[in-house]
């Protein structure tokens, strides 16, 4: 090894920097080594996205105080080899050649260390100062795997620390080891020629085997019997996929069950703040200014903020599914089916990642070495039901569907999300033919810690809130201006700017049941889907229950579902479009990736809307007097998904007949009606 390293060009460190100088630590490791968990445990919630010289993508980084130095810790993409051909491996090489590094933190999986030590040998051959962190020591201990870190350190010539980033074991040694390593090294920049002179694979395999034999003791029966027993059912040829979709459905049920009370609490607090605090504070302001601040910015942002608890709960459960190792199983289950679409299991994993946000899922396609496979996968990822679309659907399903129906509706949208992606892949697979083999590592099942789950969920919520302060604030302000200008017009009326835009798109959108007001929300949804809910609050000038009732009166469940189909499928947000352009480096491909979903969204909504109407599904808007606790007044019952399409015209029915018909669609009803029901119109 030493002779080979001597023949190849190595990076030469500069002189040691002065105290107080900013230093840089790069975290490197294979996928599924817990590298991101290590980064999150080390940095907490202080990570940020940054651009780096010579690197065409954004990388996650955070700043730490190590001794008397400020250290920039950069989380590089997961790689399998320093000479690999995937985009992620190219990113790592570009970073090391373009940016000086003071120390490399190499993270390996203790359970599979004998297959990962070759990266440590490559880093040593490049002349990079490094520290080896053997992660998941808790799992290795359970399986009887013994790793002699002192022997490994002596053989590699670098410090070796055994840790469990998930449990926090050994993490107290990280900063001291960083401090010792940084004291001995200066910034190092790797020359391009060094990667081409790395040791041959045969030599690396021999050296890795020698290291493992000297320092790693793996018992003959080190298999995880519990994982095998679970996989017997979850990877069953017939039961695997039904169990997977059943788990997703239970996840949606739990989100509604736990999130609804929290959402109501946030809504109550916001209503109190507006009526008892903000309105008196702004009593001095002119009507135009107070209307903009209260009915525009506050109503829009407050309506969006009510979904933060649900988003946190959703991603808590998604983190459980992912961190337990189940997502890899889902990719394995779907590989045979995806192969018929010209894709593989990794594409399905990217779709699942897109449920959080389409942008990181698009960036995750760098692990695919085939450009054609990557382009086809990037084409279908924007169909994933991301967290921004999720809040729109949670908002509408809560209004127009019952608690029992809402999870089913949401589940159907997730199913439609995957279905449209599969259809798109099937149509265009001949244009993106690929023959790259699919290799997937199934990690053992793991029990995630609550701290790591909370960090994951909070990062998603924080990402959502950051977008809210940028896109949503600007979006709701523009919507308010369009609904109130020119001065003196009826709010959101036909004479307003919003009304003019809505009337312009009405011939295109009215065949799918979308009126002018909802069209405005769709247009601003192209900027960011988070704006859709906030824009509805501004368009109608309401929030809370008043907004819910207004929307329930303005559309029935068929129109609502058609609107949700269009929102799910149509052109992704600007951030996704920008990422598509950056990753594909093709304007023509990006234009096609924007136009195709728009066309497909209109066709899908048209087929559903016209089909539902042809089958006779219509909702009437009955009014009645509520008859308990002395509550009087007219209330609208159309927020229940009542499908009375059996009647082509409003029938003349009495109270008993109507409740009998109503209960046949909604089950047993627990409220009383004090007067006969009368129909006031038909949608």
């Amino acid at each position: 090894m030493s002779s080979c390293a001597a023949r190849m060009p190595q990076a030469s460190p500069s002189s040691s920097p002065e105290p107080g100088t900013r230093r840089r630590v790069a975290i490197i490791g294979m996928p599924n080594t817990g590298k991101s968990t290590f980064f999150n445990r080390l940095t907490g919630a202080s990570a940020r996205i940054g651009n780096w010289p010579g690197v065409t993508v954004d990388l996650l980084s955070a700043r730490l105080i190590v001794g008397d130095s400020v250290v920039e810790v950069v989380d590089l993409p997961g790689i399998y080899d320093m000479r690999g051909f995937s985009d992620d491996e190219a990113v790592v090489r570009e970073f090391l050649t373009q940016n000086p590094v003071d120390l490399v933190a190499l993270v390996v999986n203790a359970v599979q260390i004998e297959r990962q030590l070759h990266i440590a040998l490559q880093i040593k051959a490049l002349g990079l100062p490094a520290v080896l962190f053997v992660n998941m020591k808790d799992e290795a201990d359970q399986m009887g795997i013994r790793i002699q870190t002192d022997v490994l350190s002596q053989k590699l010539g670098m410090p070796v620390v055994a840790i469990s980033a998930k449990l926090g074991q050994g993490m107290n040694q990280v900063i001291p080891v960083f401090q010792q390593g940084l004291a001995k090294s200066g910034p190092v920049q790797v020359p391009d020629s060094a990667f081409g002179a790395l040791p041959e694979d045969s030599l690396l395999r021999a050296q890795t085997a020698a290291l493992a034999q000297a320092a790693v003791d793996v018992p003959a029966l080190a298999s995880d019997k519990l994982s095998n027993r679970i996989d017997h059912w979850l990877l069953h040829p017939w039961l695997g996929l039904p169990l997977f979709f059943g788990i997703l459905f239970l996840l949606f049920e739990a989100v509604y069950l736990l999130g609804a009370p929290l959402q109501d609490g946030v809504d109550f607090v916001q209503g109190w703040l507006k009526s008892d605090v903000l309105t008196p504070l702004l009593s001095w302001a002119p009507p135009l200014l107070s209307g903009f601040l209260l009915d525009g910015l506050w109503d829009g942002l407050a309506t969006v903020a009510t979904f933060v608890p649900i988003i946190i709960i959703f991603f808590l459960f998604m983190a459980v599914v992912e961190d337990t190792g189940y997502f890899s199983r889902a990719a394995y289950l779907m590989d045979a089916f995806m192969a018929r679409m010209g894709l593989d299991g990794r594409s399905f994993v990217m779709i699942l990642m897109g449920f959080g946000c389409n942008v990181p899922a698009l960036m995750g396609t760098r692990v695919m070495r085939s450009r054609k496979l990557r382009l086809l996968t990037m084409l279908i990822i924007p169909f994933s039901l991301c967290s921004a679309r999720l809040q729109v659907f949670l908002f509408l399903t809560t209004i127009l569907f019952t608690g029992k129906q809402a999870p089913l509706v949401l589940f159907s949208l997730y199913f439609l999300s995957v279905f449209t992606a599969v259809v798109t892949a099937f149509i265009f697979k001949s244009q993106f033919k690929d023959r790259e083999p699919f290799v997937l590592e199934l990690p053992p099942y793991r029990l995630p810690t609550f701290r790591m789950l909370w960090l994951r969920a909070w990062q998603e919520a924080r990402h959502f809130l950051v977008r809210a302060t940028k896109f949503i604030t600007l979006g709701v302000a523009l919507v308010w201006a369009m609904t109130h200008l020119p001065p003196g017009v009826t709010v959101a009326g036909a004479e307003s700017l919003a009304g003019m835009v809505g009337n312009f798109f009405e011939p295109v959108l009215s065949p799918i049941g979308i009126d002018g007001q909802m069209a405005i929300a769709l247009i601003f949804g192209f900027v960011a889907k988070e704006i859709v809910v906030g824009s509805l609050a501004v368009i109608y000038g309401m929030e809370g229950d008043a907004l819910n009732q207004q929307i329930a009166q303005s559309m029935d469940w068929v129109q609502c579902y058609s609107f949700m189909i269009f929102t799910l499928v149509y052109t992704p947000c600007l951030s996704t479009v920008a990422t598509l352009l950056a990753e594909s480096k093709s304007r023509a491909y990006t234009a096609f990736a924007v136009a195709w979903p728009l066309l497909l969204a209109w066709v899908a909504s048209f087929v559903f809307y016209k089909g539902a109407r042809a089958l006779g599904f219509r909702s009437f808007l009955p009014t009645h007097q509520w008859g308990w606790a002395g509550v009087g007044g007219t209330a609208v019952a159309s927020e229940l998904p009542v499908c009375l399409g059996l009647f082509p015209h409003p029938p003349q029915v009495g109270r008993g007949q109507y409740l009998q018909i109503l209960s046949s669609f909604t089950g047993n009803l627990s409220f009383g009606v004090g007067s006969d029901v009368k129909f006031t119109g038909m949608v």
Side-chain angles (χ1 to χ4, degrees):
M1 179 175 64
S2 59
S3 61
C4 179
R7 290 194 304 269
M8 65 173 290
Q10 290 184 317
S12 56
S14 310
S15 58
S16 298
E18 297 294 330
T21 304
R22 181 173 296 177
R23 317 294 295 278
R24 181 174 297 138
V25 174
I27 301 179
I28 295 177
M30 281 189 178
N32 295 321
T33 58
K35 182 172 62 69
S36 296
T37 303
F38 173 79
F39 178 80
N40 291 334
R41 173 75 70 170
L42 181 64
T43 62
S46 61
R48 62 185 179 83
I49 301 293
N51 295 313
W52 297 88
V55 180
T56 58
V57 298
D58 295 331
L59 299 175
L60 201 62
S61 66
R63 292 176 183 172
L64 299 176
I65 301 297
V66 178
D68 56 1
S69 300
V70 178
V71 177
E72 186 87 2
V73 182
V74 185
D75 186 18
L76 296 178
I79 61 173
Y80 290 99
D81 192 279
M82 280 292 184
R83 294 176 304 184
F85 300 102
S86 72
D87 286 356
D88 277 350
E89 288 157 339
V91 166
V92 172
R93 288 195 297 271
E94 289 172 1
F95 183 88
L96 295 177
T97 56
Q98 299 293 329
N99 300 274
V101 173
D102 296 273
L103 192 66
V104 170
L106 175 61
V107 182
V108 298
N109 183 348
V111 178
Q112 300 163 343
I113 187 171
E114 71 278 3
R115 299 202 296 269
Q116 301 184 5
L117 286 174
H118 69 281
I119 297 184
L121 293 171
Q122 289 179 327
I123 289 176
K124 181 181 179 181
L126 290 172
L128 289 166
V131 178
L132 178 63
F133 292 99
V134 182
N135 193 20
M136 304 181 187
K137 68 179 294 290
D138 54 318
E139 296 182 13
D141 292 341
Q142 291 176 1
M143 300 175 69
I145 299 175
R146 298 291 178 263
I147 301 172
Q148 301 179 54
T149 55
D150 54 342
V151 175
L152 204 55
S153 176
Q154 182 182 3
K155 295 284 186 181
L156 287 172
M158 64 180 67
V160 178
V161 182
I163 63 170
S164 172
K166 180 181 73 173
L167 301 179
Q169 298 174 0
M171 292 298 294
N172 59 338
Q173 302 179 52
V174 175
I175 298 298
V177 170
F178 277 177
Q179 189 170 0
Q180 294 172 11
L182 292 171
K184 298 177 182 178
S185 66
V188 174
Q189 195 163 338
V190 181
D192 290 330
S193 57
F195 292 99
L198 283 171
E200 295 295 330
D201 291 342
S202 58
L203 179 59
L204 275 179
R205 283 195 295 268
Q207 293 173 342
T208 301
L211 279 175
Q213 185 175 5
V216 182
D217 179 20
V218 181
L221 299 175
S223 62
D224 191 344
K225 295 182 179 179
L226 179 60
S227 289
N228 292 335
R229 288 199 298 267
I230 296 175
D231 282 341
H232 174 73
W233 295 102
L234 294 184
L235 298 182
H236 192 277
W238 296 102
L239 299 177
L241 284 177
L243 286 173
F244 170 68
F245 289 114
I247 290 171
L248 287 183
F249 174 71
L250 291 177
L251 184 149
F252 303 143
E253 284 277 11
V255 168
Y256 273 100
L257 181 65
L258 300 176
L262 295 175
Q263 192 177 19
D264 292 340
V266 173
D267 186 54
F268 173 80
V269 172
Q270 290 173 344
W272 173 80
L273 284 174
K274 180 180 180 181
S275 60
D276 295 359
V277 178
L278 296 178
T279 301
L281 283 176
L282 293 173
S283 59
W284 58 269
L288 190 64
L289 177 60
S290 63
F292 171 72
L293 294 176
L294 293 176
D295 300 329
L297 286 180
W298 176 259
D299 282 358
L301 292 175
T303 301
V304 171
T306 58
F307 294 93
V308 172
I310 290 183
I311 288 174
I312 292 177
I313 292 174
F314 175 79
F315 283 105
L316 274 174
F317 285 114
M318 289 296 286
V320 170
V321 175
E322 183 175 354
D323 289 356
T324 54
Y326 187 49
F327 265 5
S328 297
R329 271 80 181 172
Y332 170 78
L333 287 169
M334 293 296 296
D335 180 59
F337 175 75
M338 299 297 283
R340 300 178 182 178
M341 308 296 116
L343 302 167
D344 62 25
R346 287 170 298 184
S347 303
F348 186 70
V349 171
M350 296 302 111
I351 294 176
L352 296 181
M353 286 179 60
F355 288 165
C357 179
N358 294 167
V359 172
L362 290 170
M363 297 169 65
T365 59
R366 297 175 197 148
V367 299
M368 300 174 180
R369 289 175 169 84
S370 169
R371 175 169 173 79
K372 290 185 177 181
L373 175 62
R374 191 180 177 206
L375 289 176
L376 183 58
T377 303
M378 288 196 297
L379 183 63
I380 67 173
I381 284 175
F383 294 113
S384 295
L385 199 162
C386 62
S387 59
R389 295 180 178 106
L390 176 64
Q391 59 151 310
V392 179
F393 301 152
L394 290 172
F395 175 72
L396 292 175
T397 53
T398 302
I399 296 174
L400 286 141
F401 297 91
T402 65
K404 290 183 178 180
Q405 295 166 333
L408 288 170
V409 172
L410 187 59
F411 179 77
S412 71
L413 290 169
Y414 272 93
F415 179 82
L416 181 62
S417 170
V418 177
F419 179 75
T420 52
V422 168
V423 168
T424 296
F426 182 78
I427 293 174
F428 296 106
K429 67 176 182 178
S430 60
Q431 307 297 321
F432 302 95
K433 291 183 179 180
D434 170 68
R435 293 181 176 86
E436 181 185 3
F438 174 54
V439 179
L440 178 69
E441 179 182 348
L442 294 182
Y445 287 100
R446 303 184 178 100
L447 187 64
T449 62
F450 180 77
R451 182 179 185 274
M452 299 312 300
L453 294 178
W454 174 255
L455 278 176
R456 292 278 301 279
W458 169 243
Q459 285 175 354
E460 293 289 349
R462 188 181 66 174
H463 172 73
F464 170 72
L465 291 173
V466 169
R467 287 174 62 88
T469 59
K470 297 178 181 178
F471 289 109
I472 301 176
T473 302
L474 177 61
V476 296
L478 289 175
V479 172
W480 186 92
M482 292 183 66
T483 54
H484 287 73
L485 296 177
V489 300
T490 304
V491 176
E495 301 84 7
S496 66
L497 295 177
M500 296 176 187
V501 174
N503 291 334
F504 178 79
F505 285 101
E506 184 177 2
V508 177
L509 296 177
S510 60
I512 59 176
I514 298 177
D515 60 20
Q517 291 174 313
M518 302 301 284
I520 297 298
L522 286 177
I523 293 170
F524 281 93
F526 172 68
V527 178
K529 297 298 185 290
E530 294 92 339
I531 298 178
V532 172
V533 175
S535 65
L536 291 176
V538 176
I539 289 170
Y540 291 108
M542 303 174 182
E543 64 172 333
D545 291 339
L547 176 61
N548 295 351
Q549 292 178 8
Q550 179 61 38
I551 291 177
Q553 292 181 58
S554 64
M555 64 167 56
D556 63 1
W557 75 271
V558 176
Q559 291 173 294
C560 176
Y561 200 82
S562 177
F563 178 84
M564 290 192 291
I565 290 175
F566 196 89
T567 303
L568 170 66
V569 181
Y570 87 118
T571 303
C573 65
L574 280 180
S575 298
T576 302
V577 174
T579 306
L580 279 168
L581 179 59
E583 296 295 321
S584 67
K585 299 178 177 61
S586 170
R587 293 184 179 181
Y589 173 85
T590 304
F592 174 73
V594 169
W596 167 250
L598 186 61
L599 174 62
L600 186 60
W602 191 91
V603 171
S605 296
F606 180 83
V607 170
F608 169 79
Y609 182 75
K610 293 301 184 182
R613 292 303 191 216
L615 292 174
F617 287 107
R618 288 176 170 79
S619 284
F620 298 102
L621 305 179
T623 62
H624 54 73
Q625 302 292 325
W626 295 102
W628 66 76
V631 178
T634 301
V636 178
S638 62
E639 34 192 308
L640 295 173
V642 185
C643 309
L644 299 182
L646 297 175
F647 305 102
H649 301 287
Q652 300 297 323
V653 297
R655 168 174 172 267
Q657 285 178 283
Y658 177 74
L659 289 182
Q660 184 178 3
I661 296 170
L662 188 64
S663 63
S664 68
F665 285 95
T666 62
N668 295 326
L669 302 178
S670 59
F671 56 83
V673 180
S675 64
D676 285 352
V677 175
K678 62 179 180 179
F679 288 90
T680 59
M682 180 178 68
V683 180

